[in-house]
Amino acid sequence: MNLSARDIQAFLALAEVKNFTRAAARCHLSQPAFSALIKALEDSVGLRLFDRSTRHVLLTQEGERFLLSAQRIAAELDDCARAMRDTAQLARGHVAVALLPSLAAGWLPQVLAQFMARHPGVELAVHDVLSEPCIAAVAQGDADFALAAIRADTPELQAEPFCRDDFHLVCRTDHPLAAQAQIRVGDLQPWPFVHLARHSSVRQYLDAALFPQTLRTLVEVEQLATVMGLVQAGLGISVVPALSLFHFDKPGLCTRPLPLPGMERQIYLVRRRERSLSVAAQALYRLMLAMRPVLGSA
């Protein structure tokens, strides 16, 4: 049995008006063409669906049963068409993005505020995780795209430069380093240092830039908010990316640029190579590109 939406619409029209001429007009068909369509439908299902006389057109018992299914199919087709229209017009949809916590907390909110003002019916999911989980979320289909500090160019994934990020020393305002206009590597070594975890991109950039020198590690932590609290308490100093400086805009803290060779982090926009973005994801993707952070503006 091969039924089309036109078959269903013709059947429902005739079932409602019980007249071939009026049903044909409703379907924008000539009466002979409409009659042929109904005959082909009955041949396809292998049952007579209408009893015809010179005065009446009535559903058979089999037609009554077919009516219930036809109404359900028509409703589902209408729902499908409406959903596709809403999706095309961004009245509904879903977007999932994975990105570094420094971007998620400081830069992303203003982007999402603008996006939701334009498209309030679109559902959002945000994965604020480190670079490797960001890449994994895209590879596994849990995120439409990601912003990460890893250039994930693989047969499955593609990466494009998104923005750059430099690094800054963070210390208390009463710390001796706060009075220095320029900070060198040797200036960091005498002081207890609050490190981010070894698997973070910040730590990897810092270790590479300082190699073979090392710092006096006080403690390693996962969260920038913890770094802020420890530094604010006077327990040590730290180095953080510019995109996270909003965490350290606190009384008693100061920041200083750290212009070391290699201490500039590239952020990449990563997506699946062979799969197009949904309409909603493409809209957020374009907005993020238009509002990307600029080095020195954080």
Side-chain angles (χ1 to χ4, degrees):
M1 183 168 56
N2 185 17
L3 299 180
S4 68
R6 188 176 69 159
D7 294 331
I8 298 299
Q9 291 168 355
F11 171 82
L12 291 174
L14 186 57
E16 181 180 346
V17 302
K18 299 179 177 59
N19 180 279
F20 272 84
T21 301
R22 293 200 300 273
R26 176 177 292 188
C27 294
H28 307 290
L29 293 171
S30 66
Q31 184 171 332
F34 183 82
S35 297
L37 183 61
I38 296 298
K39 177 64 168 58
L41 171 62
E42 291 178 322
D43 291 344
S44 179
V45 300
L47 294 167
R48 177 180 287 274
L49 301 176
F50 295 96
D51 284 327
R52 304 156 174 83
S53 70
T54 55
R55 292 186 175 183
H56 302 289
V57 176
L58 300 173
L59 285 167
T60 63
Q61 291 184 15
E62 293 76 17
E64 294 282 359
R65 289 197 293 271
F66 187 79
L67 176 63
L68 298 176
S69 297
Q71 289 172 332
R72 184 180 68 253
I73 292 170
E76 290 175 354
L77 288 172
D78 287 344
D79 289 344
C80 180
R82 188 179 305 109
M84 293 302 98
R85 286 194 301 270
D86 288 348
T87 299
Q89 297 166 5
L90 286 173
R92 68 169 71 176
H94 178 83
V95 187
V97 60
L99 73 171
L100 298 171
S102 55
L103 282 163
W107 166 79
L108 182 67
Q110 61 181 333
V111 177
L112 294 189
Q114 190 167 139
F115 183 81
M116 294 307 298
R118 297 177 184 178
H119 314 297
V122 175
E123 297 178 355
L124 293 168
V126 176
H127 306 272
D128 51 339
V129 292
L130 298 179
S131 288
E132 290 186 3
C134 278
I135 302 303
V138 177
Q140 296 165 7
D142 296 326
D144 295 290
F145 55 88
L147 296 175
I150 296 176
R151 189 182 185 97
D153 271 321
T154 70
E156 293 78 28
L157 301 175
Q158 66 182 46
E160 61 182 285
F162 181 72
C163 69
R164 295 178 298 139
D165 194 14
D166 57 11
F167 290 83
H168 291 243
L169 166 73
V170 180
C171 62
R172 284 172 56 109
T173 54
D174 57 1
H175 194 281
L177 291 179
Q180 292 188 205
Q182 186 172 0
I183 308 297
R184 299 178 299 272
V185 173
D187 299 326
L188 306 179
Q189 291 179 304
W191 307 103
F193 198 89
V194 179
H195 264 305
L196 283 166
R198 294 178 186 272
H199 57 268
S200 70
S201 63
V202 174
R203 176 65 178 275
Q204 291 164 8
Y205 271 88
L206 183 60
D207 285 351
L210 296 179
F211 183 84
Q213 303 176 74
T214 58
L215 299 174
R216 289 179 52 195
T217 301
L218 171 74
V219 67
E220 293 184 3
V221 298
E222 295 275 351
Q223 305 297 329
L224 285 162
T226 308
V227 174
M228 182 276 297
L230 295 173
V231 174
Q232 192 174 40
L235 296 175
I237 63 174
S238 192
V239 171
V240 299
L243 288 170
S244 70
L245 287 181
F246 66 93
H247 278 296
F248 302 91
D249 185 15
K250 305 289 184 182
L253 291 182
C254 75
T255 63
R256 293 287 183 269
L258 194 64
L260 300 179
M263 287 295 285
E264 186 174 280
R265 185 173 63 159
Q266 177 69 58
I267 307 298
Y268 296 94
L269 201 159
V270 181
R271 54 182 289 188
R272 289 187 290 278
R273 188 178 294 277
E274 301 295 338
R275 188 169 181 180
S276 61
L277 295 174
S278 69
V279 174
Q282 184 67 40
L284 181 58
Y285 179 91
R286 288 195 300 266
L287 182 61
M288 284 184 167
L289 287 174
M291 297 180 66
R292 74 180 79 191
V294 177
L295 187 65
S297 66

